[in-house]
Amino acid sequence: MADPSSSAQLTTRPPPQDGAYLLRKLVSDLPLSADGQSTDVRITCVEVWNGNLYVGTSAAEIIHFVLLPPEPNDPSGEPTAIIASRLQPAYTQAIGVGVQQILLLPEVNKACILCHNTLTFYSLPELSPAFPSTKPLTCSWVGGVDLNGNERNSSENGVVVMLCLRSRIRMVRVQEEGPRSLKTIEYGGCLTSVRRDNFSCAADSRSYALLDVEHQQKIGLFPISSLDPDAGDVGGAAEDIATALSSQPPSRSVSSAGVHPRQEEQRGHGRSTSLGIFNTGGPASLRTESPRPTGQRYGFDVPESLSRGISPAPGTPSRSPERPHPERTSSLPRASTPSQDKPLPPAPEASTSQEAEAPPKPAFVPLKPHVASPSPTEFLLTVGTTPSEPGVGMFVNLDGDVCRGSIQFSSYPDALAVDGTGIDMSASTGPDMEATEGYVLAVVHQEDNGHAQYGVEIQRWDVDAGEGEASKEWLNLTSLNDPSAQKADRVTTPIGMRTVLEPNEIVLAEIGDKLSVKRLNLSGSEDSSSPQRDKGKKAQQKEDLEFATRLSKLQTSTVLWARNEIWWAVRNPLVTRLDARLQYAQSTPTGDGVKIQPNRSLVEALLGDIRGQGFRTESEYLSLIYIRQKASILLFMELILRSSTNIIIFENEKRITEQALIEGEVDPRVIISLLPILNQEVVQGPDGIQISGGITTLVEAFLQQNDLSAMPAIVNGPFGDNLLHLVKRFLFWWKRRKGMASVTNDPHLFQSVDAAILHILLLLDRETPQGPATAGSLRAELNDLVDNEVECFDRAVELLEQFKRLYVLSRFYQRNSKAAAKASNVLGVWKRILEGEPDEGGEFVDGELELRKYLSRIRDQALVEEYGAWIANRNPKLGVQVFADDNSRVKFEPTRAVALLKEKAPGAVKDYLEYLVFGKKHTQYVNELIAFYLEIVIAELETSSSSRAILLQTYETYRALHPPKPMYREFITDNAIDAEWWHSRLRLLQLLGSNQTGTSSYDVPFILSRLQPYEQELVPEMIILNGRQGLHQEAIRLLTHGLGDFETAIRYCLFGGSSIFRPSDSPYIPQVEIPGHDEQSRLFNHLLQEFLRLDDLAQRISRTGELLERFGGWFDVEQVLEKIPDDWSVDIFKGFLINALRRLVREKSESEVVKALSGARNLGISVEVLDRIVELGPTVEKPG
């Protein structure tokens, strides 16, 4: 069972005002009785014009009120009604109806008052008696002013009205001077009439007829009640009522079947005439038209080819030239005139038996006729059976034909009004943009347990009436405050309604409240104040008030009254009608009606109804924007509330909400303000967030009802899945619209957008594993965001620092910092990361290398020096690249770089010098580099005995190797230990052993002095230095006995001592650096002597034999034989001897060949000389 308290709350919740019309109070508590005591006095008619209210009562009084407009600061308030006069119009006899009509004629400043069937004239606006010489006239109805307004254009001609007498209608022109009769129309007992130009739709107590007042013609239309036994058959072709009058007294046609007896008509008519109203009475008033040419259309007449199918009536002679206008009242068959084309009806007996079997018909009750004209070419008539049975509205055109589908009323109307021009959707050019929907308002009643209940039924007349009850609605009557009413659209008090003379302008405050721009009050928002700003703010408030008032102005001409109150029936504007539906959807059916708990299905239904809907006015344009925005916010609020209960929402619902937010173009700050954590990202300017007032009220109420700080904000839960991803996409959509002409240029909006997007991405990316971003990941989105322009600089820095995303912060600085501070900010963040400050993203891989590359791309020399030295201290080999990069935008002279490194990064000087010496071949820095190496090596040997032992051990190990073995240089390189001093020694050997220009110009004595204490440990260095000094025999001795590096000793003899420790990657030696053959021979002889001194006999024999065999050409055989011990076998150096003998034989053979070639050459030259002598002949020389 439902909670009783909840049920009570639901019943007390007022229904939403989503109908087509609203009630707005005009006046209340009217003093209807003069003494104030009578309670049975009721309002019978109302008219409003030019700030004047005229109220007719059942007490036969006209009360004139002056309507004072509301206060200027409250334009939507009710006007103040001040009674100006209370008038009792003259009448002949009280018949219990009081004041029946108030007809205002402002063109001539006159009013026609019909009271107890007596017509009197008064002047406007004070209702003073007019036309003293004109006495009251008895008539049943007055009106018929042309609704097309053709007669209102000129007040000089007056206004033509229709006076309905008992037996005829008088056309009277009312002027300033007085009324003047124009013509008489033979149509008696008229109770109402509506006129368009020359065509008037009139009704007596039985039926309706269409009159041509100019040509004196009539078409009978429909009986008012289908139960009327005296109505007979009506409808059909036109009849000439003027012709009928000229031949006989006015006959009682069907249209005048219910008028008073002829004697009363003559007495009333004679009284009116005796009062002097119609000075032009007599035959002229009964004049007929002159004959017209044959074939000319006349009144309702049409050519035979266009004659209606139902005319002429069966049994009646057809229209002919001899009888152009036959008198007739019906086009339907009559019982007394059987048709010639149809068989006779069945026998009376059969008819009697059928009638006996039929159910009894309800008793006939006369119905009040209602005629209205919704358009210039149409009339609306009501027909029915009994007052409580449903009624039907029929539309006829100016030809008397039914022109559109009928409409149905729940009961026969007590009053009827039409409103709106109607929208013709079938027009080829589309509906008129100035057109408005056409509505029919009908006061109906129902009997419930013997008690009458009244309501106002509303339906469209310009749409297909076949939609039935679905197109109907009821006017909400709760404003009438009827305590006995059981429904909001029913009251127990009789209701009156009519259309007043002209539209009146009212202000509907709800429109301005909803559509006008207001400031959204959020926690933490402050309104800055200054004299200049206050002045501008007041001006803006004035403009906003004027704008809101302009939007809130509506026009209506329909009034409704009950008891002593009068109300305007106002066309419910689009914004209030749709907003009422949203208000209903704002709370669930089980809610209290106050707490915001949106009903998603209702909101989605509303959005579906207005999707694609166009607008015709500024108000409708703003209304649709407002409704879409409010609906989308309600859907988002629904997501928030469900997420707070840990519910995972369907993707379809999230997609619909996102699409609604996008279509509504909601200020993103409103959405951000509704979310915990993110609401702190809202940035407001001095004027705050300016949005529609209706949305302001909704958001403020939601924030008051819900504690966002208590909402679970777990990223991996419903908060992240339901809300964060949706809001992220929505904010990115807003960010892409930046700069568009239709988008606000408020910088605070996009600051909020960027801050919220950044915050969301940081929250979502928090759980992503460390490392660089992958394509399409959240981290890639984050990087893409900061790599582009971001409006909220300070807040972005704060967020990135808060989330410890330092690498992302550096990327943000790179794109968004000012040019002067960009590099400094980026390098500062990278330095923090490299120094160990936490970076949660872990994206700064190879940070030192990235920093070095970045330094090569910037132009700030101070920054390059600062961070280059810093990185050189951390990683000397990488740091020196900053100063040595030829592609860097900031280039350093070596001297400047060396000085800078010595000052700020001494540990990198050696590496930089190595780059200069080995990379750039700057030999002028060799001595400095050698000094660095010496210091490192000697410092190590001085402080570490183990290092000395390692060196000595390498010699022992190397000497113990059996041939073939690598050279000592290769041996120590391949077996290098990971120690700085070891690598420095290798570099030192390379520099000392190189014989390139410049590198060999180092200070040998200084180096020797430094190495002398460790000559046992630094044998290779001593070998090189001895070679530099020309002590080749000592160098060869150390190579042979100190190292046992025989291969290097041989290279020493071939290439000179300075190149023995060249790097293996530079084997080429210039020819000029290679010693001559004699020098090589001398060095080989020194090496032979050292080989012969080797302690190991096997090594001695092997090395000596190999040396003599490989390089025998550099030795003299005699000297070798002298040096080799006599006890050695010839087999040891037989290779040398064989090669030597071969060389001697070869040399002898070569000398003989050369000698023979020389002799042949000499012989040839001698022959050439003799031939030349013979050629020249003898020469005789005479003695001087």
Side-chain angles (χ1 to χ4, degrees):
M1 295 180 60
D3 187 3
S5 62
S6 299
S7 301
Q9 291 171 346
L10 288 174
T11 56
T12 58
R13 183 174 62 184
Q17 296 287 327
D18 60 345
Y21 283 82
L22 299 172
L23 286 181
R24 285 297 177 267
K25 186 176 291 185
L26 175 58
V27 291
S28 59
D29 299 327
L30 295 177
L32 299 182
S33 62
D35 55 7
Q37 302 298 323
S38 300
T39 59
D40 57 346
V41 179
R42 57 184 175 81
I43 300 174
T44 57
C45 56
V46 174
E47 187 59 82
V48 182
W49 171 74
N50 197 24
N52 296 275
L53 171 64
Y54 304 97
V55 179
T57 69
S58 60
E61 291 182 333
I62 295 288
I63 309 175
H64 174 208
F65 296 92
V66 176
L67 299 177
L68 299 181
E71 295 296 329
N73 58 353
D74 185 19
S76 62
E78 299 176 12
T80 302
I82 299 178
I83 187 169
S85 63
R86 184 184 295 271
L87 173 68
Q88 288 187 341
Y91 57 88
T92 304
Q93 181 181 358
I95 59 176
V97 294
V99 177
Q100 297 161 271
Q101 282 183 268
I102 303 175
L103 176 64
L104 303 184
L105 306 175
E107 295 80 6
V108 293
N109 293 319
K110 294 297 180 288
C112 302
I113 307 297
L114 185 64
C115 179
H116 291 306
N117 283 351
T118 302
L119 178 65
T120 52
F121 294 91
Y122 295 90
S123 297
L124 294 178
E126 71 281 359
L127 293 187
S128 60
F131 312 139
S133 60
T134 302
K135 295 183 179 181
L137 170 67
T138 299
C139 67
S140 60
W141 184 84
V142 62
V145 178
D146 183 11
L147 296 184
N148 289 346
N150 295 332
E151 299 172 352
R152 296 180 180 270
N153 296 332
S154 175
S155 62
E156 298 178 359
N157 299 328
V159 181
V160 177
V161 299
M162 302 173 67
L163 305 183
C164 297
L165 309 179
R166 287 188 175 91
S167 60
R168 59 180 58 91
I169 297 175
R170 288 284 176 87
M171 302 290 291
V172 178
R173 186 183 301 277
V174 181
Q175 297 176 311
E176 290 283 353
E177 298 80 12
R180 184 171 63 89
S181 178
L182 297 179
K183 66 178 68 175
T184 300
I185 302 172
E186 288 299 320
Y187 185 82
C190 178
L191 299 181
T192 185
S193 177
V194 174
R195 183 162 66 96
R196 293 281 188 181
D197 290 336
N198 295 328
F199 300 95
S200 175
C201 187
D204 58 17
S205 61
R206 300 291 184 178
S207 62
Y208 297 99
L210 186 63
L211 307 178
D212 183 345
V213 298
E214 180 67 22
H215 301 97
Q216 298 283 314
Q217 289 182 294
K218 179 185 75 172
I219 296 178
L221 297 177
F222 319 109
I224 300 173
S225 173
S226 60
L227 301 178
D228 188 352
D230 298 329
D233 299 319
V234 297
E239 59 180 283
D240 193 335
I241 51 181
T243 303
L245 179 64
S246 63
S247 60
Q248 62 183 15
S251 61
R252 282 187 52 179
S253 66
V254 175
S255 300
S256 58
V259 297
H260 294 285
R262 181 66 179 172
Q263 294 80 1
E264 296 182 11
E265 176 192 340
Q266 292 175 349
R267 182 170 62 249
H269 178 65
R271 179 173 179 271
S272 299
T273 305
S274 66
L275 293 176
I277 293 181
F278 305 119
N279 298 328
T280 59
S285 64
L286 303 176
R287 65 184 182 276
T288 59
E289 297 293 333
S290 58
R292 69 190 190 282
T294 304
Q296 177 182 354
R297 183 174 180 184
Y298 182 84
F300 295 117
D301 192 16
V302 295
E304 290 295 330
S305 62
L306 300 178
S307 180
R308 292 179 299 172
I310 63 172
S311 180
T316 304
S318 61
R319 186 175 298 159
S320 64
E322 290 78 10
R323 193 175 182 183
H325 298 290
E327 180 181 358
R328 59 183 298 156
T329 59
S330 176
S331 62
L332 302 176
R334 296 174 181 263
S336 60
T337 57
S339 173
Q340 299 176 2
D341 301 331
K342 295 184 179 181
L344 294 173
E349 290 78 12
S351 176
T352 304
S353 62
Q354 292 176 3
E355 291 176 359
E357 295 175 1
K361 295 183 178 180
F364 167 66
V365 178
L367 301 177
K368 178 182 178 181
H370 297 291
V371 181
S373 180
S375 72
T377 61
E378 293 176 293
F379 296 102
L380 171 62
L381 320 173
T382 59
V383 297
T385 54
T386 65
S388 60
E389 293 294 325
V392 177
M394 307 290 290
F395 294 89
V396 297
N397 57 21
L398 299 182
D399 291 328
D401 296 326
V402 176
C403 56
R404 64 170 74 234
S406 61
I407 59 177
Q408 187 173 356
F409 305 103
S410 58
S411 72
Y412 189 83
D414 297 334
L416 188 73
V418 294
D419 185 27
T421 60
I423 299 177
D424 185 7
M425 300 303 296
S426 63
S428 59
T429 58
D432 184 5
M433 295 302 292
E434 300 296 331
T436 57
E437 297 87 349
Y439 284 96
V440 177
L441 291 83
V443 177
V444 296
H445 65 276
Q446 293 178 346
E447 295 289 338
D448 186 9
N449 296 327
H451 299 284
Q453 293 189 353
Y454 301 87
V456 178
E457 190 177 55
I458 304 170
Q459 53 188 313
R460 293 282 295 272
W461 61 261
D462 56 346
V463 297
D464 184 10
E467 297 177 7
E469 294 296 326
S471 62
K472 294 182 180 180
E473 58 181 273
W474 293 86
L475 180 64
N476 190 304
L477 300 177
T478 54
S479 301
L480 271 60
N481 298 321
D482 187 352
S484 58
Q486 298 180 356
K487 296 182 179 180
D489 51 15
R490 300 289 192 278
V491 293
T492 58
T493 305
I495 299 174
M497 183 178 64
R498 75 180 301 268
T499 301
V500 298
L501 177 65
E502 59 185 21
N504 284 260
E505 190 176 80
I506 65 172
V507 175
L508 202 62
E510 294 93 322
I511 301 177
D513 292 340
K514 298 177 190 301
L515 298 184
S516 60
V517 175
K518 296 181 181 179
R519 179 183 180 130
L520 177 61
N521 294 316
L522 299 175
S523 59
S525 61
E526 297 180 358
D527 190 3
S528 59
S529 178
S530 66
Q532 187 68 23
R533 177 166 293 279
D534 292 343
K535 182 178 179 181
K537 188 175 181 180
K538 291 180 180 179
Q540 184 64 41
Q541 289 176 347
K542 182 179 179 181
E543 293 178 2
D544 293 343
L545 180 61
E546 294 175 354
F547 176 74
T549 303
R550 178 167 60 84
L551 290 179
S552 303
K553 288 182 178 178
L554 300 174
Q555 286 190 336
T556 183
S557 56
T558 304
V559 293
L560 184 146
W561 63 85
R563 298 188 303 275
N564 60 349
E565 297 178 335
I566 303 176
W567 304 77
W568 288 113
V570 186
R571 181 78 66 90
N572 195 358
L574 181 66
V575 62
T576 54
R577 188 165 69 249
L578 297 178
D579 193 60
R581 293 177 60 182
L582 288 181
Q583 289 176 3
Y584 185 80
Q586 193 167 306
S587 301
T588 58
T590 58
D592 56 6
V594 177
K595 188 173 180 61
I596 298 174
Q597 295 175 323
N599 188 322
R600 171 171 285 273
S601 60
L602 296 179
V603 179
E604 291 179 358
L606 172 61
L607 288 175
D609 292 343
I610 65 174
R611 180 166 289 111
Q613 181 173 340
F615 57 88
R616 291 171 301 195
T617 64
E618 178 188 21
S619 178
E620 288 188 1
Y621 170 72
L622 296 175
S623 299
L624 289 174
I625 292 177
Y626 163 77
I627 292 300
R628 289 191 178 100
Q629 290 184 348
K630 185 174 181 179
S632 62
I633 292 175
L634 284 172
L635 291 178
F636 188 71
M637 288 177 175
E638 193 263 352
L639 290 186
I640 294 176
L641 294 175
R642 289 169 64 189
S643 299
S644 64
T645 58
N646 291 324
I647 295 177
I648 299 297
I649 300 171
F650 292 116
E651 287 297 326
N652 182 54
E653 294 178 343
K654 291 186 284 187
R655 180 183 56 80
I656 292 174
T657 304
E658 179 184 347
Q659 186 63 29
L661 291 173
I662 291 175
E663 291 179 356
E665 299 183 8
V666 183
D667 188 321
R669 291 175 293 181
V670 176
I671 302 303
I672 298 171
S673 66
L674 298 176
L675 291 176
I677 301 177
L678 295 182
N679 54 5
Q680 57 187 312
E681 307 305 338
V682 176
V683 181
Q684 304 181 59
D687 298 327
I689 301 176
Q690 300 288 328
I691 55 175
S692 301
I695 298 178
T696 299
T697 304
L698 174 67
V699 174
E700 291 176 355
F702 183 81
L703 294 177
Q704 290 175 0
Q705 296 173 10
N706 299 275
D707 184 8
L708 296 183
S709 60
M711 177 180 175
I714 303 174
V715 177
N716 292 331
F719 175 72
D721 187 76
N722 297 341
L723 300 174
L724 289 186
H725 289 280
L726 183 153
V727 174
K728 181 197 72 173
R729 293 189 296 269
F730 172 65
L731 295 178
F732 267 121
W733 176 81
W734 259 103
K735 185 175 178 63
R736 289 191 295 271
R737 301 180 73 232
K738 180 183 177 182
M740 294 183 181
S742 60
V743 179
T744 177
N745 56 359
D746 184 3
H748 304 95
L749 183 146
F750 288 100
Q751 289 177 17
S752 303
V753 169
D754 288 347
I757 293 176
L758 180 59
H759 202 157
I760 291 173
L761 289 174
L762 289 173
L763 288 171
L764 295 175
D765 189 54
R766 180 180 283 176
E767 303 300 326
T768 304
Q770 288 191 346
T774 57
S777 63
L778 287 168
R779 187 158 296 173
E781 283 189 75
L782 177 60
N783 291 338
D784 184 65
L785 174 68
V786 299
D787 287 345
N788 292 279
E789 184 177 1
V790 177
E791 295 290 337
C792 54
F793 184 87
D794 294 336
R795 179 55 181 167
V797 173
E798 182 181 352
L799 284 172
L800 292 171
E801 292 281 5
Q802 176 184 337
F803 281 83
K804 298 180 180 180
R805 300 302 296 271
L806 297 184
Y807 178 69
V808 180
L809 176 60
S810 69
R811 298 184 67 146
F812 172 77
Y813 279 142
Q814 177 63 28
R815 178 61 179 84
N816 293 275
S817 292
K818 295 181 179 179
K822 179 184 299 184
S824 176
N825 290 337
V826 172
L827 292 170
V829 174
W830 285 357
K831 181 179 179 181
R832 292 166 56 190
I833 298 175
L834 293 174
E835 287 180 344
E837 194 166 335
D839 177 32
E840 297 295 337
E843 300 169 80
F844 198 42
V845 181
D846 293 332
E848 293 179 347
L849 180 60
E850 288 296 324
L851 189 146
R852 188 205 70 77
K853 292 179 179 178
Y854 187 81
L855 290 175
S856 67
R857 297 194 298 266
I858 63 176
R859 299 180 182 276
D860 192 328
Q861 182 166 353
L863 284 177
V864 175
E865 290 181 0
E866 177 184 354
Y867 287 93
W870 177 79
I871 195 67
N873 272 320
R874 288 180 53 86
N875 188 340
K877 294 186 180 300
L878 186 63
V880 298
Q881 297 179 21
V882 176
F883 303 94
D885 191 353
D886 292 334
N887 297 320
S888 176
R889 295 188 176 184
V890 177
K891 295 180 174 60
F892 291 89
E893 290 294 330
T895 54
R896 167 65 180 161
V898 171
L900 180 66
L901 291 173
K902 286 181 178 180
E903 177 184 357
K904 296 183 178 181
V909 174
K910 175 181 70 68
D911 296 272
Y912 184 68
L913 292 176
E914 287 178 345
Y915 163 77
L916 294 177
V917 173
F918 298 112
K920 305 299 289 183
K921 310 302 181 184
H922 291 176
T923 57
Q924 63 267 34
Y925 298 100
V926 169
N927 281 327
E928 285 190 68
L929 187 56
I930 290 175
F932 268 100
Y933 291 150
L934 283 174
E935 291 298 328
I936 295 172
V937 174
I938 293 174
E940 180 68 20
L941 295 179
E942 287 178 346
T943 57
S944 175
S945 58
S946 61
S947 298
R948 293 197 300 270
I950 289 173
L951 289 177
L952 295 175
Q953 184 62 39
T954 58
Y955 303 147
E956 295 292 334
T957 304
Y958 184 76
R959 285 195 295 265
L961 295 178
H962 295 284
K965 62 181 179 179
M967 293 184 293
Y968 182 75
R969 165 74 182 186
E970 297 173 354
F971 173 76
I972 61 174
T973 302
D974 294 340
N975 296 276
I977 60 176
D978 189 15
E980 177 65 19
W981 68 273
W982 186 275
H983 294 288
S984 296
R985 184 188 179 219
L986 293 179
R987 288 286 191 177
L988 177 62
L989 289 175
Q990 181 179 345
L991 289 178
L992 294 177
S994 175
N995 59 351
Q996 295 181 5
T997 304
T999 58
S1000 58
S1001 60
Y1002 50 81
D1003 189 352
V1004 175
F1006 169 75
I1007 298 173
L1008 277 174
S1009 63
R1010 296 287 292 158
L1011 296 180
Q1012 194 69 39
Y1014 305 100
E1015 59 179 352
Q1016 298 297 325
E1017 291 83 3
L1018 301 175
V1019 174
E1021 290 83 351
M1022 299 302 297
I1023 294 172
I1024 295 171
L1025 292 177
N1026 286 329
R1028 292 288 185 183
Q1029 293 178 306
L1031 303 176
H1032 300 301
Q1033 188 173 358
E1034 180 62 19
I1036 292 173
R1037 184 187 67 80
L1038 292 175
L1039 282 171
T1040 306
H1041 301 284
L1043 291 179
D1045 187 357
F1046 308 121
E1047 187 65 27
T1048 302
I1050 293 173
R1051 290 173 59 85
Y1052 187 96
C1053 298
L1054 288 174
F1055 304 117
S1058 62
S1059 61
I1060 59 172
F1061 290 107
R1062 297 180 64 88
S1064 59
D1065 57 353
S1066 57
Y1068 173 74
I1069 300 176
Q1071 187 65 33
V1072 296
E1073 298 181 6
I1074 299 177
H1077 187 274
D1078 293 339
E1079 178 66 17
Q1080 291 176 343
S1081 178
R1082 188 174 67 84
L1083 294 176
F1084 274 119
N1085 281 300
H1086 289 312
L1087 180 58
L1088 179 60
Q1089 292 179 2
E1090 296 302 327
F1091 280 174
L1092 293 175
R1093 296 193 184 110
L1094 291 174
D1095 296 334
D1096 188 348
L1097 179 60
Q1099 285 281 358
R1100 188 188 318 153
I1101 294 174
S1102 174
R1103 293 298 98 201
T1104 302
E1106 181 184 359
L1107 177 64
L1108 293 176
E1109 184 175 358
R1110 289 175 57 191
F1111 303 99
W1114 278 268
F1115 292 95
D1116 183 81
V1117 178
E1118 184 179 358
Q1119 293 179 356
V1120 170
L1121 293 176
E1122 290 179 355
K1123 294 179 180 178
I1124 292 177
D1126 296 337
D1127 55 350
W1128 282 16
S1129 172
V1130 176
D1131 292 336
I1132 296 175
F1133 50 94
K1134 67 179 181 180
F1136 167 71
L1137 295 178
I1138 293 172
N1139 290 333
L1141 292 176
R1142 287 176 178 173
R1143 186 172 60 256
L1144 292 176
V1145 172
R1146 184 176 61 253
E1147 290 176 354
K1148 180 179 179 182
S1149 299
E1150 290 175 355
S1151 62
E1152 290 178 354
V1153 171
V1154 171
K1155 181 177 179 181
L1157 291 173
S1158 298
R1161 180 62 179 164
N1162 290 334
L1163 182 60
I1165 292 174
S1166 299
V1167 172
E1168 290 177 1
V1169 171
L1170 290 176
D1171 291 341
R1172 184 64 176 166
I1173 292 173
V1174 172
E1175 180 183 352
L1176 294 175
T1179 302
V1180 179
E1181 295 182 358
K1182 295 180 179 182

